[in-house]
Amino acid sequence: METKSYDLIVIGAGPAGLTAALYAGRARLKAAIVDENLPGGWMKTTHLVANYPGVFPEIHGRDLAKRMEDQARHFGADFYTAAEISALELQGAVKRVVLDDEVGLEAKVVILAMGQEPRKLGIPGETKFKGRGLSYCATCDGDFYQDKDVVVIGGGNSAVEESVFLTQFAKSVTLIHQFDKFQCSAIAEEHARGHAKIRMYLCHEPREYIGQDRLEGVAVQDLNTGEKKIIAADGVFVYIGFTPRTEFLKGQVGLDARGYIQADDLMHTNLSGVLAAGDARVKVYRQISTAVSDGTIAALEAEKILREVK
Amino acid sequence: MTQEINQDQFETEVLAADLPVVLDFFSTECPPCEALAPKFSSLEEAFTGRVKFLKVFRQGNRALAEKLNVTGSPTLLFFRQGVEIGGRLSGEIKKSEIKAALEALLN
C-alpha cells in the first residue's frame, strides 16, 4: 500500500477542518484533509447562512462551503474526499490513517474535526423503512410527498422549520414531539403554529414504524395518559438532533458519555499530537463561527507542536 | 461517468441486462446524492465488466420510483437477472457498504 507523509492530517472537511487546513497551508505545513463525504460538512446542508460575520447579505451554506474549500486548496492542502477511514493509529509519535484500505497517510499531528450526524431514533422498523418512507432530508425527498400525509419527529429548529417547508408539498404535516414545549426559535414556532396544514402532538413519543412493504404510519404513545395510537403517514422525517461522528475513536481518544471528544481550550485531547476541533468536541455552542475558531486554534497549536518536535 | 437512464429504459437496461446491476435513484438539492457520486464512480471503475452501474433521476421518473417504492434519495437497488436482490442502501451511504453489497450481488 502506498503511504504518503504529511506534517498534519485533518480528519473532517467541515468549517473546523477547512479552517485548520487553511491555517496549516499558510504556515507552510504540508496538510492532508480527509472526509468520508464531500467538503463542506453540515454547513453545506444549511439553506441560508445569515450569521457568519463579514459574509453579508446571507449566503447559501453550499456557497460558503465552496469558498472555504477553495481557500484551503489555494494554500496547498491535499484533499482526500469520499474516502472512508479503514484503519487509524493515533497513539504513537507518528499517526497513521488508512483510507479505503488503499491509501496510507502519516503525520506527526492529527486534528479530529468530523462533526456530527443526525441522530436515529432506535425504534423498530428503522432499518426496514429507510428509503421506503423514512427520511432524514426534506430537501432531498420532500417533493415525493405531493398531496400525501407526512409526519415530522422532533421539536428543535430543524424539525419545526422543515415541517413548514414540507407543507408546500404535503397534504398534511403532523409534528410529534416528546416534550410539552418546542425547543425552536420563536419565529419558527410562530410559522408552524399558524399553518393550516400542520397539526401537533406534544408529549408524544414514537414507538414503532408501521407498514408492510413500505411505511404506512407511526405508532406513538401519549406520555401523559399512556394511550397508544397509530398516526397514518406516507412518509416520516426525523429531526431529533445530532450525535458525534466519533464511533471509530473509541478506545483511543478520550470521549464523554455522549461520545463527544474531550479537549482543552487549546484543542488538545488526551493523546499527544492529537487535537480536536468543531462540533465533535465537548462544547456548549455549535456554530459555524465557533467551528472556525476551534479550527484556527487547533492549526496554530499543530504548528507549535511541529516546531517543538523538529 | 455513470450511464443515466429514464424509466422507459428500465426494462431493457436493468431487468434484461446480462450483468448484475446497481441502480442509483438520485435527486437535485440532495447533499447525500452529491456525496455518493464520487464513491459510486470509483466503485464503477473497480467493478468494470462485473457489475453494470446505472443512475436514474428520481424527480423525472416518478412513476418508476413509485412502482419500486423508492421514496428517498439517494437509494441504491441491486438486480440480478431481472430480480431485485438483497437490501437497499439509502441516505448517507458508506463506500464500504456499497462494496459489500456488490460483492454479495456477485456471489
Side-chain angles (χ1 to χ4, degrees), chain A residues 83-284:
Chain A
E84 211 172 301
I85 294 176
S86 37
L88 181 70
E89 283 174 40
L90 297 175
Q91 315 273 349
V94 176
K95 323 293 179 192
R96 292 190 174 82
V97 178
V98 179
L99 302 174
D100 293 326
D101 293 314
E102 287 164 8
V103 182
L105 306 177
E106 54 177 42
K108 293 197 177 86
V109 179
V110 167
I111 296 177
L112 303 169
M114 299 79 52
Q116 307 182 94
E117 61 191 359
R119 201 156 70 79
K120 296 194 169 57
L121 256 178
I123 60 172
E126 197 150 44
T127 311
K128 182 177 171 187
F129 296 116
K130 194 176 172 197
R132 293 174 190 250
L134 184 57
S135 177
Y136 298 86
C137 176
T139 59
C140 302
D141 305 329
D143 71 295
F144 194 84
Y145 297 99
Q146 191 76 46
D147 301 321
K148 299 201 169 155
D149 299 307
V150 302
V151 160
V152 174
I153 299 171
N157 275 321
S158 300
V160 177
E161 284 169 7
E162 299 299 352
S163 293
V164 175
F165 172 81
L166 285 165
T167 56
Q168 60 186 303
F169 311 106
K171 185 169 71 189
S172 78
V173 177
T174 305
L175 189 51
I176 299 171
H177 184 40
Q178 64 185 146
F179 300 121
D180 61 353
K181 288 189 182 69
F182 290 107
Q183 276 76 47
C184 61
S185 70
I187 292 184
E189 185 168 345
E190 268 170 38
H191 286 164
R193 284 203 182 273
H195 206 292
K197 281 188 179 178
I198 298 178
R199 61 181 175 154
M200 296 169 180
Y201 284 99
L202 292 167
C203 298
H204 277 70
E205 250 180 25
R207 292 285 179 243
E208 188 180 354
Y209 298 116
I210 309 283
Q212 293 294 320
D213 286 339
R214 57 158 302 157
L215 188 68
E216 290 162 24
V218 199
V220 299
Q221 186 167 23
D222 185 328
L223 297 179
N224 292 326
T225 64
E227 184 202 349
K228 285 187 187 164
K229 57 179 156 258
I230 291 177
I231 299 175
D234 301 293
V236 174
F237 291 80
V238 184
Y239 291 99
I240 51 164
F242 294 90
T243 182
R245 295 175 184 267
T246 53
E247 192 65 32
F248 69 111
L249 299 175
K250 274 189 183 155
Q252 295 205 60
V253 179
L255 306 176
D256 76 356
R258 295 161 64 211
Y260 290 92
I261 304 166
Q262 288 170 319
D264 63 20
D265 288 349
L266 295 175
M267 310 300 143
H268 292 258
T269 68
N270 61 315
L271 294 179
S272 124
V274 179
L275 303 152
D279 287 0
R281 236 186 104 216
V282 175
K283 64 198 299 191
V284 178

Side-chain angles (χ1 to χ4, degrees), chain A residues 36-38 44-45 47 62 81-84 100-102 117-118 129-135 137 139-146 148 213-214 234 245, chain B residues 27-36 38-39 58-59 62 65-66 68-75 84 86 88 90-97 99:
Chain A
E36 214 178 295
N37 295 303
L38 296 176
K44 200 172 167 177
T45 66
H47 180 52
R62 62 166 58 227
T81 55
E84 211 172 301
D100 293 326
D101 293 314
E102 287 164 8
E117 61 191 359
F129 296 116
K130 194 176 172 197
R132 293 174 190 250
L134 184 57
S135 177
C137 176
T139 59
C140 302
D141 305 329
D143 71 295
F144 194 84
Y145 297 99
Q146 191 76 46
K148 299 201 169 155
D213 286 339
R214 57 158 302 157
D234 301 293
R245 295 175 184 267
Chain B
S27 299
T28 46
E29 287 197 54
C30 169
C33 301
E34 288 168 28
L36 174 67
K39 301 176 201 178
R58 189 173 59 75
Q59 284 113 323
R62 194 174 284 264
E66 279 188 27
L68 296 172
N69 274 335
V70 172
T71 64
S73 299
T75 296
E84 191 183 344
R88 297 176 176 185
S90 184
E92 194 180 291
I93 307 171
K94 287 178 188 287
K95 195 169 166 185
S96 55
E97 289 175 324
K99 205 169 159 191

